[in-house]
Amino acid sequence: MEQADLRSWERQCTQDDMPKCRAACPLQMDVRPFLERMAHGDTPGARKVLERHLPLPGVLGRICEHPCETACVRQELGGPLAVGALERVCVSQCAQQTRNLPRPPKSKKVAVIGDGMAGLVAAWDLSRKAYPVDLFYAGERPAEGLIAAFPALTPEALDGELEAMRKSGVTLIRREPDKALFQEVEGYDAVFVDVSCAPGLAPASRDAVDSVTLNVAGGPEHVCFGGWPSPDGTGTPVAWAAEGRRAAMTLERSMTGVSLTASRENEGASATRLHTPLDGLAPLQRLEPEHPGEGYSLEEAKTEAGRCLQCECLICVRECLYMQKYKGYPRVYARQMYNNAAIVKGHHQANTMINSCTLCGQCEVLCPEGFSMADLCLSFREDMVRRGMMPPSAHEFALEDMAAANGPECALSFAGSGADGKAAERCGQVFFPGCQLAGARGEQVLAVYETLRKDLGSVGLLLQCCGVPAQWAGEEKLFAETVEALKSTWESLGRPRVIAACASCCKTLREALPEVSVVSLWEVLDTECPSLSFREEACCGGVPTLSIHDPCSARHDEAWLRSVRSLLSKRGVPFEEPRLSGETTPCCGYGGLTWD
């Protein structure tokens, strides 16, 4: 498998995609672990999460307009999580938890004109990467406009973040944001203009600024503009902060000579493919604080944060014992199998995992993106068998069983007999019970065969293995040889219709030999065997209710599934559907379910 193929497989699994709350945040704040820590009463841990993702967490934690709440999957199940209120509790109840480690300052120097949210964030991000920053402000004190605009922001909280910026290498300088200042800072290695504080230095229209880089089209790469008000003259702190962060990224790339636009499609608010199953979840109403003016108490915060679903997919893992055993999910398994196959000398530790999947296909049906562990495992089995890197022990018994079923002691090709009782050379249809049913329930096979002959006339009998054990083992050559031998026998019988009793045989024959007409035994019994009778007590309610376990090989065989239920209904046998049946049926672990 090539790297590109691996990445294609990995992209199919959405488990590592961002939850909707994080994807909706322009700063991609990781809400999920924040709420998890708040739910456990770990306020310092929650504060660390904020500090890891948010610039000026003591400020944004108080004034963010929390767009994450509009994307919360709890919307219809009691209301979205009160993320904004919980962040305010966290930053007001818990002091700063992390400190910026001192770093040797870089030789490049940055100027930021304006102390609005965008300017502060640009200075914050660049100073955290050891760039010396001169931040110019025009008021009596830095960022006084934020205090005036947002009552929830206290001077003490702002001063704490400004002090942290000073320690990181930001110099706060009081200057009017005029053209003279702009000319002075042109000599800096990077310049950012916060439009909310210096509208006279910005282009006449926001459309003149590239939405990705925040550079003026055709202008210098080392100058960015951000912090624009919305068309209605307002703005939001998190949107301004996101523009400050985007500008900081552009300016750093400009100073280091890296492409300004490459691989930036996932910055800011973005789409996510993560699926969170909500089936069976009961609504849980959003908790309102007892004293609204004071916000949540710590106990109330724990209760409200506990409503978080900790969004994840894992739909397939919840239903598959195989995936539960190996404690991962498809994206992880794809990488592990790829690394395992790359080993030239040494122990291939993932061999057992690769061989343990029953290839039932349930995961592909359950997965919203159609990820097939069966296809993935089988492709690696085949690849490693081709290269002589897969020991035969995992499927040795099944292959020996297949060889025995196709050997002279077990294999049989019989075209049936005519009205005169003489053996026929060719037949119009042949009963193919499959090796497991024939080996385990010989008398039952003969009884079914007699019923088919009684109702259908001349019917042949073909005792042979369809070859699927070789396919399961990744033995492509052996599988092709087995199928070719079966085709030759079928042709010698006159190319008859095949009546297959085993779901695995049915599926295998249809896929490997599309020229063969294959019908399930259940369809024939349901629609073509009028002599078929059931025990009398079944029609009189004398049998218990049955639970139908569909064979996983027949999950896409609508005729098979329908005929089984029709047979029971016509004879008055009560039955019930389990939680997962039909297309979503789980694997019983016994191949085509012929034992049952």
Side-chain angles (χ1 to χ4, degrees), residues 406-423:
N406 289 333
E409 295 86 358
C410 299
L412 172 68
S413 172
F414 175 56
S417 57
D420 56 3
K422 294 182 179 180

